[in-house]
Amino acid sequence: MSEQTREQGTSPGRRVVVVGAGMAGVQTAVALRDQGFTGTVTLIGAEPHQPYDRPPLSKAVLLGKAEGSAFDVDFEALGIGLRLGREVTGVRTADHELDTPRGAVPYDVLVLATGAEPIRLPGADGIPGVHLLRTLDDAERLRPVLAGRHDIVVVGAGWIGAEFATAAREAGCAVTVVEAADRPLAGALPAEVAAPMAAWYADAGASLRTHARVRRVEPGSVVLDDGSRVPADAVVVGIGARPATGWLTGSGIALGAHREVLADERLRTSVPDVYAVGDCVSFPSGRYAERLLVHHWDNALQGPRTVAANIVGEEPAVYDPVPYFWSEQFGRFVQYAGHHASADTTLWRGDPSDPAWSVCWLRGERLVALLAVGRPRDLAQGRRLIEAGTAVDAALLADPARPMKAAVR
């Protein structure tokens, strides 16, 4: 943060511009007002829709149970200016100006909240019936597909693939999920934890094909690398997402190996007066002693409070959360807290063939991560143990009949 920003953070003349009108961007704008910022706040979104929440897109909106998921925020009453349907194409940090097709937008403080964009299936662009599920428009295009009970192929057995397959089966569609790895959630969870989840697909009447790479998509079918064809009235691609930062090329803002914005512990970028928050940014975690890139809703909810506090400038605020996310799939409520990469011990609480069970990851005597399936109390208590860094008794922790808090040493 520049000295000028420190001295004038709450000045009525200061202009904060937030690029990205998703959860991270909206919450940043709201948090600025909550924390007393009296300058100009402008929120720029590429989509023409009123800012909306994304999790319902793969659930209620997709199934026609809701028409949308607009945030319940009175932007006018808060004095937050909305510029929707406007794509930002670049930023000239030396001039403190954004470039858009409708002209330059000046700023005093800039917040990058552009999120992530889905990875596209190579060779599938322009083929009729191939869909992504990231935006409200995506969900609205897919809604009649589900209503028509079509044969659907889902490419990718990650979180979004499982959630879409769940909704499609609920709608009565025939669903085949093809996954290049040997198990679902291969990029997110260790093999022994993810492997039991494969049975969930069959239980829900969906077909899961692992070790299955897509060779090409043709009208009416998906051709796999072994030459087999899977009938497909529609194909939904869920093979991951990457930070939406292409527009920052040439800006001087430092990017990481995944093209994410590199921020410090206060979510400041390498350029003065520019912050980043949400899916597009990685930050150093003192708790886990590594840089984290978190593509989940809770990160987009929590980070803006830190950004707003540092813009207002009264007390320096450090961002070091316990990452958290949830997923509803195949009749199960799955929750995860923490970061298990540095763990040296894995403990099971319950049998993964049962409807409810949990997995705990420890480093030494301290819980660092937890996956809970149908055990919300485990998640709530475990998250507090992770946040506190409390030593636990592993034998007591592994007993699913005991509350997790009873394992504290």
Side-chain angles (χ1 to χ4, degrees):
M1 184 186 299
S2 70
E3 289 304 315
Q4 183 182 22
T5 301
R6 291 182 198 275
E7 295 169 4
Q8 302 181 30
T10 60
S11 167
R14 299 293 285 172
R15 299 163 299 182
V16 176
V17 176
V18 183
V19 182
M23 171 62 80
V26 167
Q27 290 300 322
T28 298
V30 171
L32 282 166
R33 293 302 189 217
D34 286 347
Q35 296 185 34
F37 182 79
T38 57
T40 300
V41 179
T42 302
L43 187 64
I44 302 179
E47 295 181 55
H49 309 291
Q50 195 72 4
Y52 61 87
D53 203 6
R54 294 190 188 277
L57 298 184
S58 62
K59 305 172 183 71
V61 175
L62 189 62
L63 290 169
K65 298 178 181 179
E67 289 302 315
S69 54
F71 292 112
D72 185 16
V73 175
D74 190 335
F75 295 99
E76 184 177 357
L78 290 172
I80 298 169
L82 293 181
R83 299 190 185 183
L84 304 177
R86 180 177 292 197
E87 183 179 2
V88 178
T89 57
V91 55
R92 288 171 284 113
T93 55
D95 299 327
H96 280 58
E97 284 190 338
L98 295 167
D99 293 321
T100 81
R102 302 184 198 175
V105 178
Y107 67 85
D108 295 307
V109 180
L110 175 63
V111 181
L112 311 177
T114 47
E117 55 193 5
I119 298 172
R120 296 178 178 274
L121 186 65
D125 282 351
I127 297 177
V130 177
H131 299 263
L132 299 168
L133 181 52
R134 183 74 181 181
T135 68
L136 179 59
D137 289 341
D138 292 336
E140 290 181 344
R141 282 189 287 266
L142 277 164
R143 189 153 50 181
V145 174
L146 267 61
R149 299 188 177 182
H150 292 290
D151 291 346
I152 297 175
V153 171
V154 180
V155 183
W159 299 112
I160 192 65
E163 290 185 1
F164 179 82
T166 299
R169 285 299 301 137
E170 185 176 335
C173 298
V175 178
T176 301
V177 181
V178 296
E179 167 58 51
D182 62 347
R183 62 189 186 276
L185 297 169
L189 297 173
E192 68 273 17
V193 177
M197 299 177 177
W200 298 356
Y201 289 77
D203 292 345
S207 172
L208 173 64
R209 298 183 61 169
T210 56
H211 299 286
R213 292 185 177 275
V214 175
R215 179 182 296 175
R216 65 182 179 274
V217 178
E218 298 178 347
S221 67
V222 173
V223 182
L224 302 180
D225 57 359
D226 63 0
S228 61
R229 293 175 180 270
V230 184
D233 298 313
V235 178
V236 177
V237 179
I239 54 176
R242 59 169 63 94
T245 57
W247 65 283
L248 295 175
T249 300
S251 67
I253 296 170
L255 303 180
H258 301 284
R259 303 295 295 171
E260 84 281 12
V261 178
L262 295 175
D264 68 7
E265 71 282 358
R266 298 185 197 174
L267 297 179
R268 301 174 297 186
T269 74
S270 62
V271 173
D273 301 320
V274 181
Y275 294 80
V277 66
D279 290 3
C280 69
V281 59
S282 67
F283 54 89
S285 169
R287 187 188 310 275
Y288 292 104
E290 63 179 283
R291 182 168 285 273
L292 300 183
L293 174 60
V294 181
H295 281 188
H296 293 297
W297 185 90
D298 191 66
N299 179 52
L301 176 67
Q302 303 296 338
R305 298 169 190 166
T306 298
V307 170
N310 286 314
I311 291 174
V312 171
E314 294 180 1
E315 291 283 343
V318 170
Y319 190 57
D320 193 9
V322 173
Y324 167 76
F325 72 89
W326 81 96
S327 177
E328 295 176 80
Q329 49 184 272
F330 307 116
R332 295 167 174 85
F333 187 44
V334 183
Q335 295 173 282
Y336 178 96
H339 181 64
H340 65 265
S342 63
D344 50 40
T345 303
T346 303
L347 295 177
W348 292 79
R349 285 172 57 82
D351 188 328
S353 64
D354 291 337
W357 48 276
S358 296
V359 178
C360 302
W361 287 274
L362 284 75
R363 185 172 63 236
E365 294 186 328
R366 286 170 172 77
L367 186 68
V368 294
L370 168 74
L371 175 79
V373 177
R375 292 181 67 102
R377 184 174 297 179
D378 278 7
L379 190 287
Q381 294 183 10
R383 190 176 186 180
R384 288 194 286 270
L385 292 176
I386 297 169
E387 289 171 345
T390 308
V392 296
D393 183 307
L396 295 178
L397 194 67
D399 183 353
R402 293 176 178 265
M404 292 190 66
K405 62 184 180 181
V408 174
R409 283 192 179 278

